[in-house]
Amino acid sequence: MNNKIADQILAKHGTLENFRELRDKGVDIIQTEGLPVLKEEEYKFTAITKKLEQSIKNFGPARPVGLNKELLNKHLFEGFDGDLIVFDNGNFSQELSKLSGQDYSLVSLDQAQSENFGKIAKMEKDPFTALNSATFGNGVSIHVGKNKQISKPIFILFFNKANDGEVISTRVFIQVEDNSEVTFLENTVSLDDAPYFANAVTEIKVAQNAHVHYSRLQDESRKAIVVNNFETDIHRDATFTSSLVSLSGDMVRNNLSLNLLDSGCEGNMYGLYLLNGKTHVDNHTNVDHTKPHSESNELYKGILADHSRGVFNGKIFVRQDAQKTNAFQQNNNILLSEDATVNTKPQLEIWADDVKCSHGCTTGQLDEEALFYLQARGLGKEQARALLLYAFAGEVLEKISNEQFRNFVTEKVEERLGGSY
């Protein structure tokens, strides 16, 4: 363990009075456990604590960026039609957020009252959750009541900017009650290329027969160090679908956990990482089947060039009571450079005997026969190459439910496949 960086961050953030019990617990855990080092199994391929020591000069809380409407409008994707929640260096901006009066409530965390807040994302599972719990500023709490169909997406837009390498601690809490449905979209805009440390926690409760779609784009500064802990509790007959596309950053760690807590649950996890330069992205996923008749589907794909590195570790747990479980997991990777690397480890732990479960992974180069076939039919080599790579990526992109956001992300992907590679 490493306490040096954690102690600096805690000292710089001082004493925050709200959520006293939660914060005290976070401090206790982080001071006891410290931040992870390479010898710890969960971080054996991702030296994020060492990267923080090397890159971050000021571990104090991030100061406001100084946003305005012109900058905000510049970063809305074409065709956007929905509600907008804006974060300024980790803090909710009420002034710049645009809420249309759809049938849900949103308050800053300072005003929130929920017995579930801080209990879905377990601080004991990852020290960065504990660190966030001790240091987060003003986040948001979103509540969708029973029997509500939120017709327009809710877009969460994070603006991050380094001020001598500060710490950006973001917190989002979402409750979706029985028989309701909602779509969330998320994007991060880095306003400069200086290093910063973004440590985010998102908690989501998906109640009985509720349906939540959540799509994220990560296109961070080339010098950004990012940890995302994203955890969900999914209840009877409910569905949660996550789509995550990662394009950039210095070192990025994504922890995504789906807790299937009752029968009839469905959890879907789709990920795409297109990495070049020296970008390092580590996706750790966890699906916990606890009751009968639940289903999970997971597909992560990576395209890696230059000296980039990808890590995938997917865990599926099927508890003894979770008979009739269907669980599928696949990780596929294409390496476009001899210097690009990927470490992949799909895992199944099954205690039930009446289940259908599968997992697998593949890593290889672009199919030369398919490339030759397309060239023989008149396509240039680069055009044929980009077409094959897009076909590989498209299986994940099509899982993004909102058409306008899918088009926006697809354009980013096409730009990368047609240029940087």
Side-chain angles (χ1 to χ4, degrees):
M1 67 180 183
N2 187 310
N3 282 83
K4 179 181 176 182
I5 300 300
D7 288 345
Q8 289 186 57
I9 294 174
L10 293 175
K12 290 274 189 177
H13 279 70
T15 302
L16 301 171
E17 293 303 324
N18 59 345
F19 303 104
R20 188 74 264 147
E21 183 178 346
L22 180 72
R23 295 191 187 279
D24 287 345
K25 183 179 179 182
V27 170
D28 288 344
I29 290 175
I30 201 65
Q31 288 182 335
T32 301
E33 301 294 332
L35 296 181
V37 293
L38 280 178
K39 66 180 181 180
E40 296 175 44
E41 182 67 24
E42 289 298 301
Y43 281 85
K44 66 184 297 183
F45 297 115
T46 302
I48 201 157
T49 302
K50 183 178 180 181
K51 178 66 70 172
L52 290 172
E53 291 177 332
Q54 294 172 340
S55 302
I56 305 299
K57 305 303 181 185
N58 174 14
F59 287 99
R63 291 163 287 173
V65 170
L67 302 176
N68 56 59
K69 291 184 178 180
E70 181 179 358
L71 179 64
L72 180 67
N73 292 332
K74 179 182 176 182
H75 291 284
L76 295 179
F77 57 87
E78 185 176 352
F80 169 67
D81 181 22
D83 288 5
L84 178 65
I85 300 171
V86 177
F87 277 78
D88 181 341
N89 260 358
N91 288 294
F92 170 54
S93 173
Q94 179 78 54
E95 297 77 16
L96 290 174
S97 298
K98 299 178 180 179
L99 308 178
S100 63
Q102 293 191 86
D103 208 359
Y104 69 94
S105 65
L106 181 149
V107 296
S108 67
L109 278 181
D110 286 339
Q111 301 171 297
Q113 293 183 348
S114 173
E115 62 181 17
N116 293 306
F117 175 65
K119 295 180 180 178
I120 298 173
K122 309 297 190 300
M123 286 187 263
E124 298 83 0
K125 287 176 61 174
D126 188 88
F128 289 103
T129 296
L131 184 62
N132 176 281
S133 297
T135 60
F136 70 86
N138 191 18
V140 294
S141 175
I142 300 168
H143 183 256
V144 180
K146 293 182 179 181
N147 306 310
K148 306 298 182 184
Q149 301 298 309
I150 309 303
S151 59
K152 295 183 178 182
I154 301 171
F155 184 28
I156 305 177
L157 185 55
F158 298 100
F159 286 92
N160 292 344
K161 182 179 181 180
N163 294 304
D164 194 25
E166 294 177 331
V167 179
I168 300 168
S169 300
T170 305
R171 194 78 179 222
V172 175
F173 176 68
I174 298 169
Q175 290 191 100
V176 182
E177 302 294 355
D178 298 355
N179 309 312
S180 294
E181 185 167 7
V182 61
T183 295
F184 292 95
L185 313 174
E186 181 183 304
N187 187 22
T188 300
V189 175
S190 295
L191 294 176
D192 61 19
D193 62 356
Y196 58 80
F197 173 39
N199 182 27
V201 173
T202 300
E203 299 178 281
I204 303 182
K205 176 189 174 184
V206 188
Q208 181 171 320
N209 197 39
H211 305 284
V212 177
H213 313 269
Y214 205 114
S215 299
R216 293 182 282 166
L217 174 64
Q218 289 181 332
D219 194 11
E220 305 272 358
S221 157
R222 287 284 182 180
K223 297 181 181 178
I225 304 166
V226 179
V227 178
N228 274 292
N229 273 291
F230 196 109
E231 188 142 0
T232 66
D233 279 358
I234 304 169
H235 294 266
R236 180 182 292 269
D237 298 326
T239 303
F240 177 82
T241 300
S242 166
S243 302
L244 171 61
V245 177
S246 302
L247 299 180
S248 188
D250 185 354
M251 183 171 284
V252 178
R253 168 65 174 244
N254 296 309
N255 296 320
L256 173 59
S257 294
L258 306 188
N259 305 313
L260 305 180
L261 301 178
D262 213 328
S263 63
C265 299
E266 180 180 332
N268 304 301
M269 313 163 82
Y270 305 109
L272 175 67
Y273 40 102
L274 273 65
L275 312 181
N276 60 8
K278 294 184 178 180
T279 297
H280 179 122
V281 172
D282 179 348
N283 288 300
H284 266 59
T285 66
N286 186 96
V287 183
D288 195 354
H289 292 264
T290 64
K291 298 295 182 181
H293 299 285
S294 64
E295 179 177 333
S296 64
N297 300 284
E298 181 172 9
L299 175 64
Y300 272 68
K301 289 190 168 187
I303 303 175
L304 299 93
D306 304 327
H307 289 80
S308 63
R309 184 171 190 173
V311 180
F312 174 81
N313 185 291
K315 297 179 181 177
I316 297 176
F317 298 93
V318 182
R319 307 295 175 178
Q320 188 172 359
D321 289 343
Q323 304 294 340
K324 303 295 184 180
T325 287
N326 293 330
F328 306 98
Q329 180 192 87
Q330 185 70 32
N331 175 230
N332 300 327
N333 300 280
I334 293 177
L335 303 183
L336 300 178
S337 163
E338 292 182 357
D339 297 313
T341 59
V342 64
N343 301 99
T344 180
K345 185 181 180 182
Q347 295 176 256
L348 284 173
E349 294 189 27
I350 302 172
W351 290 275
D353 52 19
D354 187 6
V355 301
K356 291 181 180 179
C357 298
S358 67
H359 67 141
C361 63
T362 62
T363 299
Q365 285 73 43
L366 204 59
D367 188 333
E368 291 296 332
E369 289 188 8
L371 191 62
F372 177 79
Y373 176 87
L374 291 174
Q375 288 180 264
R377 276 147 184 78
L379 293 181
K381 183 175 182 179
E382 293 305 314
Q383 187 180 13
R385 193 166 176 261
L387 184 62
L388 287 176
L389 292 174
Y390 178 75
F392 177 81
E395 191 176 0
V396 173
L397 293 172
E398 68 183 16
K399 302 298 184 181
I400 299 174
S401 60
N402 180 266
E403 181 180 1
Q404 289 73 28
F405 191 67
R406 183 172 64 250
N407 292 340
F408 168 67
V409 175
T410 299
E411 286 181 10
K412 293 271 189 181
V413 169
E414 289 177 341
E415 181 181 337
R416 171 70 61 84
L417 295 179
S420 300
Y421 285 136

